[in-house]
């Protein structure tokens, strides 16, 4: 059985996911694509999924009877429209993060999904599928380091493109930590603070870079994260949990250790595509398998909503310098079904 997928948005990650869903993973094929840049969509289809229909709009793609499930990889501000269209058509939809750009928009998706009567939405929080984060969660859950007290993280990108502006350090980048740490600790957040410091001369335009984000969880765990998106040296994701009896750290990606010319060195990956290549594969294979079986078990629309509430609070904290409370609606019982393993899955 092959799941026929339509992909809306054929930019960087859209092309990555088309390559996965058409040829790399088992049980799926990409039968339709669309992008506001139609030429780019046509070129991507020709290269990655020849024969796929190139639709004029995302809505046309959703309406295509051959499309059984939808993948949304367009720019964040367009996600809400396409996810709501897929829900209206009762088609399962995998949406890259962020689910939508505001908490209100995410809540509209939550309400539409509940009204549809069955889970249809998965959000692309792929770090939950990364082997390193899974091992780290096992270490925390096993109690080996005692109760978690503090978490130290860094999210560093070598550089960012010109369209990366404003608060994208939070809404596009830190949103990964927001989701994965909530899953890792099985906890929710209660407050956020942002501490800005000296600005790197490598930051483009008026972008503020780097800064520190401090989160407090319901259980009292304190999390500090350095967000630094023009660090130059590579793509670097760090996470260390400090417990009552020890610490546990995210493993570094495997790299050959070299000795040469009086130096010891090992390569650092330069972007997210390679750093999380296996996690994306596992994530999408799981989505294909679950979708084909009529289930939905990954990060839910509710997780997307809670991430947006947190990211909205971080944006306000960055603007005001205040410690901002994080207040979300109560989780509807509907979402208990999508998290069968552990308190919050996947
Ligand atoms: P990109 O700019 O390379 O590609 C986005 C594409 O969307 C472009 O081709 C653009 O023309 C298209 N698009 C924009 N509005 C559209 C609309 N209304 N209808 C159809 N197409 C439209 O960006 P990207 O890096 O591929 O990011 C896309 C999404 O994926 C973003 O939400 C981003 O946050 C997310 N992303 C996630 C990860 C991850 O690690 N999970 C990594 C990269 C990007
Ligand atoms: C990008 O959209 C991603 O999701 C990457 O994982 C992240 O590291 C990067 O900062 C974002 O811009």
């Amino acid at each position: 059985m092959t799941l026929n997928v339509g992909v809306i948005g054929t930019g960087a990650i859209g092309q990555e996911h088309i390559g996965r869903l058409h040829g790399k993973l088992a049980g799926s094929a990409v039968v339709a694509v669309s992008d506001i840049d139609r030429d780019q969509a046509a070129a991507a289809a020709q290269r990655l999924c020849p024969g796929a229909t190139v639709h004029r709009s995302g809505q046309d793609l959703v309406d295509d009877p051959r499309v059984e499930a939808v993948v949304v990889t367009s720019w964040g501000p367009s996600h809400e429209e396409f996810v709501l269209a897929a829900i209206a058509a009762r088609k399962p939809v995998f949406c890259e993060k962020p689910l939508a750009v505001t908490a209100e928009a995410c809540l509209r998706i939550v309400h539409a999904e509940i009204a549809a009567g069955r889970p249809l939405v998965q959000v692309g929080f792929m770090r939950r599928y990364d082997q390193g984060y899974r091992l780290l969660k096992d270490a925390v859950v096993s109690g080996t380091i005692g109760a978690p007290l503090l978490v130290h993280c860094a999210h560093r990108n070598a550089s960012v493109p010109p369209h990366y502006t404003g608060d994208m350090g939070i809404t596009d980048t830190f949103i990964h930590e927001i989701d994965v740490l909530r899953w890792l600790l099985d906890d929710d957040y209660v407050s956020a603070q942002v501490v800005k410091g000296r600005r790197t001369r490598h930051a483009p335009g008026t972008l503020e870079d780097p800064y520190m984000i401090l989160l407090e969880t319901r259980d009292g765990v304190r999390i500090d994260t350095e967000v630094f998106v023009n660090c130059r040296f590579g793509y670097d994701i760090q996470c260390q949990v400090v417990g009552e009896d020890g610490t546990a750290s995210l493993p570094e990606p495997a790299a050959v250790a070299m000795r040469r010319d009086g130096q010891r060195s090992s390569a650092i990956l330069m972007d997210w595509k390679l750093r999380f290549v296996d996690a994306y594969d596992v994530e999408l294979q799981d989505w294909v398998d679950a979708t084909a079986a009529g289930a939905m078990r990954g990060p839910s629309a509710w997780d997307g909503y809670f991430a947006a509430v947190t990211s909205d609070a971080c944006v306000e904290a960055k603007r005001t310098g205040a410690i901002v409370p994080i207040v979300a609606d109560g989780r509807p019982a509907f979402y208990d079904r999508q998290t069968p393993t552990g308190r919050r899955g996947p």
Side-chain angles (χ1 to χ4, degrees):
M1 259 268 297
T2 299
L3 181 73
N4 288 331
V5 179
V7 177
I8 304 174
T10 56
I13 202 159
Q15 293 183 29
E16 291 282 311
H17 285 351
I18 292 170
R20 290 192 166 86
L21 292 162
H22 199 86
K24 188 173 186 186
L25 304 181
S28 63
V30 175
V31 297
V33 297
S34 79
D35 195 290
I36 41 168
D37 183 343
R38 203 150 183 260
D39 291 344
Q40 187 213 60
Q46 195 176 25
R47 188 169 63 84
L48 298 163
C49 50
T53 307
V54 181
H55 283 288
R56 291 200 168 276
S57 71
Q59 184 67 55
D60 286 354
L61 179 144
V62 170
D63 293 340
D64 182 339
R66 286 183 71 208
V67 170
E68 296 170 305
V70 178
V71 166
V72 178
T73 44
S74 50
W75 291 329
S78 63
H79 290 182
E80 179 189 5
E81 176 191 346
F82 299 135
V83 173
L84 287 176
I87 293 172
R90 300 292 190 273
K91 294 189 180 181
V93 53
F94 174 95
C95 179
E96 260 309 332
K97 41 64 59 175
L99 174 60
V101 286
T102 64
E104 290 73 29
C106 291
L107 214 45
R108 284 193 286 275
I109 291 172
V110 162
H111 290 151
E113 188 181 34
I114 292 173
R118 69 183 174 96
L120 289 164
V121 182
Q122 177 166 330
V123 185
F125 287 128
M126 81 299 177
R127 289 197 191 176
R128 299 186 187 200
Y129 297 85
D130 175 68
Q131 178 68 0
Y133 274 107
R134 287 186 163 189
L135 291 170
L136 186 56
K137 184 171 168 79
D138 287 347
V140 171
V141 170
S142 70
T144 312
I145 60 164
L149 306 173
L150 303 166
V151 185
H152 306 299
C153 302
H155 189 150
R156 303 188 183 115
N157 288 218
S159 63
V160 286
H163 69 259
Y164 187 106
T165 53
D167 295 317
M168 285 177 76
I170 294 168
T171 59
D172 205 58
T173 295
F174 180 61
I175 198 141
H176 282 296
E177 272 74 22
I178 291 176
D179 180 73
V180 82
L181 298 177
R182 178 171 163 261
W183 165 82
L184 181 74
L185 297 170
D186 207 355
D187 204 350
D188 283 326
Y189 307 121
V190 294
S191 75
Q193 187 182 4
V194 175
V195 182
K196 295 184 250 183
R198 189 172 172 192
R199 183 172 175 268
T200 170
R201 68 188 160 88
H202 299 300
T206 56
L207 189 75
E208 293 167 297
D209 187 41
Y211 44 83
M212 302 285 302
I213 302 178
L214 308 174
L215 293 176
E216 182 187 2
T217 74
R218 190 187 51 209
D219 289 347
V221 178
R222 296 281 183 170
I223 300 164
D224 61 84
T225 304
E226 168 199 321
V227 174
F228 188 10
V229 296
N230 291 278
C231 79
R232 313 301 274 189
F233 67 82
Y235 186 69
D236 189 25
I237 303 299
Q238 302 287 333
C239 180
Q240 182 186 60
V241 182
V242 179
E244 287 174 309
D245 301 316
T247 70
S249 298
L250 184 69
E252 291 282 346
V256 174
M258 289 191 278
R259 287 169 157 80
R260 193 191 144 125
D261 297 335
Q263 302 273 323
R264 276 193 306 230
S265 67
S266 56
I268 297 176
L269 296 171
M270 291 308 285
D271 69 26
W272 46 267
K273 290 179 194 165
L274 280 178
R275 172 65 180 84
F276 288 110
V277 63
D278 295 334
Y280 295 119
D281 287 351
V282 176
E283 169 194 51
L284 279 181
Q285 186 67 69
D286 193 58
W287 177 72
V288 167
D289 295 346
T291 302
M296 190 63 64
R297 55 184 175 231
S300 66
W302 184 257
D303 295 319
Y305 161 72
F306 196 89
V309 169
T310 307
S311 109
D312 284 357
C314 293
V315 168
E316 191 189 335
K318 177 165 168 273
R319 187 178 55 80
T320 60
I323 297 174
V324 175
I326 297 171
V327 184
D329 285 11
R331 187 172 80 167
F334 177 88
Y335 287 100
D336 297 347
R337 281 190 281 175
Q338 198 166 336
T339 54
T341 56
R343 275 162 66 190
R344 226 170 248 129

